[in-house]
């Protein structure tokens, strides 16, 4: 990762976390669709990033969100799961001929069909972990599934919109 | 030996994943225990100041509403003051310990609030410098809001009433039979009153207030009104759904109440080995 890319990603993480903390805390469409836009940062790291560092970074970001939300551990646990699953899922859905070295898993580079099949299951896994941990012993399975499904759809839609608006072609932000 | 190390090295990301998950889950557990003092939360100085700046901006838009609420509270208090103020006559009343104030009140502003999770917390802009202590009750003019969990120098974090771990000892205002308010994690406008025996007459519209058993809240602070009473699930107690009187999406200013005899009551109960779950 070049220095320029590094700065870009630090900036991206800071921006998304700020938005998540200050604006999206109590946003829940119809009481079920939460938005975890900061996952866009974890999803946008380069394809060839080492799994080890990705897991560490995700844990850190999740913990940061948790400290502001007073949900200590929830986001961290779920984001770590997402980071752990990401390389396997990337391998599973790799296009014919594999990825280019310079590929970033973003909407502009990979196209909308690929992006949805990439992000939706990962965000769903995140939400499932998040709401299972959150409602442990209180809510039923249906509530958890319901919230996870709609939250992941809402998050992916918002992530696509953010990328269309703010991501330049071939340049990160 | 080298083989084992190589094997472990090839599994390093999985091992890191497991380690961090265990760490995160232990954090979740320690943060949600009602008595556990959580240090690593939004009451620390940096997060607190960021959240305060945010609420400085956002609260501006609800000033008119807040003023109105304060005004109506003031009017109510003035009215009560009038009835209490003794008219001077020839008899003087010696004040004794029965009239000593048991509760002290403080004001605070909410700088961060959540209502969408099943364990919701509130961050307040007053901390140990202002005399806030863990265990103090939090309420506003509409009713009960929560209880202080942990305190830093300038900020404090409280359990919201919308927290499945939180219980508040309450009673029916009409006939005094008591139960325990416990949120079920579903709707932020409704909660449940548990352990009210089946023979008690409760009907929709009845008022629920705190009963003062828990020594956190004084007696008679509003909690809500009964929405429905059911006899289905539990053979011993009624299934009571309560409409909360506080609109948690709009709380901005709250009062903190401290019971100056809390320590005495606590030690007495410990001495006689009573578990007070509230």
């Amino acid at each position: 990762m070049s220095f320029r890319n590094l700065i870009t990603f630090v900036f991206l993480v800071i921006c998304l976390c700020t938005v998540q903390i200050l604006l999206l805390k109590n946003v829940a469409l119809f009481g079920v669709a939460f938005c975890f836009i900061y996952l866009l940062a974890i999803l946008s790291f380069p394809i060839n990033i080492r799994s080890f560092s990705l897991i560490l970074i995700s844990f850190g970001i999740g913990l940061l969100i948790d400290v502001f939300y007073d949900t200590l551990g929830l986001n961290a646990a779920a984001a770590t799961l997402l980071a752990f699953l990401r390389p396997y899922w990337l391998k599973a859905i790799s296009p014919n001929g594999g990825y280019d070295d310079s590929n970033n898993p973003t909407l502009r580079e990979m196209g909308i069909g690929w992006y949805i099949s990439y992000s939706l299951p990962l965000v769903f896994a995140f939400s499932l972990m998040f709401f299972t941990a959150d409602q442990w012993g209180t809510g039923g399975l249906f509530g958890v599934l319901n919230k996870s499904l709609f939250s992941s759809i809402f998050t992916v839609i918002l992530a696509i919109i953010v990328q269309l608006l703010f991501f330049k072609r071939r340049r990160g932000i | 030996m080298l083989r084992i190390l190589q094997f472990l090295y090839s599994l390093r990301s999985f091992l890191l994943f497991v380690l961090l998950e265990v760490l995160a889950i232990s954090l979740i557990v320690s943060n949600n225990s009602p008595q556990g003092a959580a240090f690593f939360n939004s009451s620390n100085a940096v997060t607190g100041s960021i959240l305060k700046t945010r609420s400085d901006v956002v609260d501006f838009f609800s000033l008119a509403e807040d003023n109105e609420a304060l005004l109506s509270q003031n009017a109510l208090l003035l009215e009560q003051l009038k009835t209490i103020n003794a008219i001077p006559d020839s008899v003087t009343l010696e004040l004794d310990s029965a009239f000593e104030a048991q509760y002290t009140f403080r004001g605070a502003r909410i700088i961060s609030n959540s209502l969408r999770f099943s364990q919701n917390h509130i961050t307040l802009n007053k901390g140990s410098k202002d005399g806030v202590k863990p265990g103090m009750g939090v309420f506003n003019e509409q009713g009960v809001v929560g209880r202080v969990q942990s305190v830093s120098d300038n900020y404090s974090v409280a359990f919201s009433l919308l927290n499945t771990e939180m219980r508040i000892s309450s009673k029916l205002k009409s006939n005094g039979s008591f139960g325990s308010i416990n949120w079920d994690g579903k709707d932020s406008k409704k909660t449940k009153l548990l352990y009210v025996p089946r023979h008690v007459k409760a009907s929709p519209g009845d008022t629920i207030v705190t009963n003062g058993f828990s020594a956190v809240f004084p007696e008679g602070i509003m909690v809500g009104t009964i929405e429905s009473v059911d006899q289905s699930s539990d053979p011993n107690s009624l299934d009571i759904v309560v409409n909360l009187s506080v609109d948690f999406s709009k709380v901005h200013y709250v009062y903190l109440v401290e019971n100056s005899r809390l320590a005495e009551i606590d030690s007495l109960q410990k001495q006689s080995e009573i578990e007070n779950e509230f």
Side-chain angles (χ1 to χ4, degrees):
Chain A
M1 201 190 283
S2 71
F3 186 68
R4 189 199 163 91
N5 274 348
L6 189 69
I7 298 289
T8 311
F9 277 111
V10 170
F11 183 67
L12 178 68
V13 168
I14 292 175
C15 276
L16 289 175
C17 286
T18 313
V19 170
Q20 181 75 45
I21 290 163
L22 297 185
L23 299 178
L24 295 174
K25 182 170 183 182
N26 279 325
V27 170
L29 286 186
F30 314 113
V32 290
F34 292 57
C35 185
F36 306 102
I37 194 64
Y38 74 97
L39 297 180
L40 176 59
I42 300 174
L43 290 173
S44 310
F45 281 112
I47 286 174
N48 54 10
I49 190 173
R50 294 221 312 278
S51 177
F52 194 82
S53 38
L54 183 69
I55 290 176
L56 266 182
I57 293 170
S58 306
F59 182 77
I61 295 175
L63 207 59
L64 179 73
I65 303 287
D66 277 332
V67 169
F68 281 94
Y69 276 25
D70 283 317
T71 54
L72 205 56
L74 276 186
N75 280 294
T80 313
L81 178 74
L82 187 152
F84 175 69
L85 293 177
R86 201 189 91 138
Y88 299 103
W89 185 241
L90 271 173
K91 205 178 275 175
I93 60 165
S94 67
N96 291 339
Y99 301 101
D100 285 344
D101 244 10
S102 60
N103 267 159
N104 285 335
T106 56
L107 182 67
R108 296 275 168 140
E109 293 190 23
M110 307 302 289
I112 189 148
W114 184 89
Y115 193 78
I116 289 176
S117 66
Y118 162 63
S119 56
L120 198 58
L122 285 177
V123 177
F124 183 72
F126 171 92
S127 316
L128 206 59
M129 178 79 189
F130 183 87
F131 290 113
T132 311
D134 179 43
Q135 313 217 329
W136 192 256
T138 55
L141 183 67
F142 176 74
V144 172
L145 283 176
N146 194 19
K147 280 184 174 175
S148 309
L149 182 67
F150 286 106
S151 302
S152 45
I153 292 173
F154 183 40
T155 304
V156 168
I157 289 175
L158 216 71
I160 289 174
I161 292 172
V162 167
Q163 293 186 63
L164 287 176
L165 288 179
F166 299 113
F167 280 37
K168 274 197 226 138
R169 204 168 181 84
R170 285 256 154 214
R171 272 283 178 275
I173 282 190
Chain B
M1 190 64 204
L2 193 67
R3 283 271 175 86
I4 296 173
L5 286 178
Q6 270 173 345
F7 176 69
L8 286 180
Y9 186 69
S10 68
L11 276 180
R12 64 194 184 283
S13 62
F14 178 73
L15 292 175
L16 178 71
F17 165 69
V18 171
L19 179 77
L20 291 182
E21 285 292 334
V22 170
L23 185 64
I25 287 166
S26 68
L27 280 176
I28 295 174
V29 172
S30 69
N31 188 41
N32 287 339
S33 70
Q35 273 79 34
F39 297 107
F40 201 39
N41 59 18
S42 65
S43 73
N44 75 48
V46 181
T47 33
S49 66
I50 294 175
L51 289 172
K52 185 172 168 295
T53 317
R54 175 189 177 274
S55 84
D56 280 346
V57 177
V58 175
D59 280 1
F60 184 74
F61 298 104
S62 57
L63 273 182
E65 226 168 275
D66 291 336
N67 268 335
E68 216 153 278
L70 282 177
L71 212 60
S72 64
Q73 169 86 345
N74 268 344
L76 192 75
L77 290 175
L78 278 177
E79 201 174 294
Q80 284 176 352
L81 199 64
K82 224 173 213 173
T83 57
I84 293 169
N85 256 347
I87 300 149
D89 58 8
S90 56
V91 185
T92 56
L93 193 64
E94 281 290 325
L95 285 180
D96 65 4
S97 64
F99 290 92
E100 192 192 11
Q102 188 186 350
Y103 294 97
T104 46
F105 297 89
R106 291 178 175 79
R109 185 160 64 105
I110 290 181
I111 59 172
S112 165
N113 189 7
S114 68
L115 33 109
R116 301 297 184 189
F117 306 112
S118 59
Q119 257 98 43
N120 293 301
H121 295 81
I122 297 168
T123 313
L124 304 168
N125 71 338
K126 292 281 164 69
S128 57
K129 274 185 189 164
D130 312 284
V132 179
K133 294 178 194 119
M136 285 169 83
V138 183
F139 66 99
N140 71 356
E141 70 279 353
Q142 292 171 312
V144 172
V145 174
R147 194 184 66 212
V148 176
Q149 178 191 17
S150 60
V151 178
S152 71
D153 280 355
N154 295 309
Y155 304 98
S156 53
V157 169
F159 287 111
S160 169
L161 189 59
L162 304 179
N163 189 315
T164 49
E165 302 283 336
M166 174 90 178
R167 281 160 188 273
I168 289 182
S169 177
S170 322
K171 67 177 181 187
L172 282 153
K173 200 177 181 183
S174 56
N175 55 23
S177 53
F178 60 92
S180 176
I181 287 282
N182 184 218
W183 194 49
D184 57 359
K186 286 180 185 127
D187 189 342
S188 66
K189 293 194 173 66
K190 293 185 181 105
T191 182
K192 283 198 166 159
L193 182 63
L194 310 174
Y195 315 132
V196 175
R198 292 189 84 134
H199 66 266
V200 169
K201 271 190 189 155
S203 49
D206 282 2
T207 308
I208 310 286
V209 294
T210 58
N211 69 358
F213 284 1
S214 69
V216 172
F217 288 102
E219 194 178 335
I221 290 183
M222 180 86 170
V223 176
T225 52
I226 294 182
E227 185 187 73
S228 64
V229 181
D230 240 333
Q231 303 214 328
S232 55
S233 58
D234 194 322
N236 296 321
S237 51
L238 292 169
D239 216 9
I240 301 179
V241 178
V242 179
N243 273 324
L244 287 168
S245 59
V246 178
D247 184 348
F248 277 85
S249 58
K250 285 185 192 147
V251 260
H252 294 291
Y253 291 89
V254 290
Y255 302 103
L256 290 157
V257 52
E258 181 185 11
N259 185 348
S260 53
R261 296 185 190 150
L262 185 63
E264 188 182 336
I265 294 171
D266 267 355
S267 64
L268 184 63
Q269 284 185 339
K270 202 166 275 174
Q271 201 181 328
S272 42
E273 288 169 355
I274 298 173
E275 277 291 324
N276 193 348
E277 64 170 346
F278 306 116

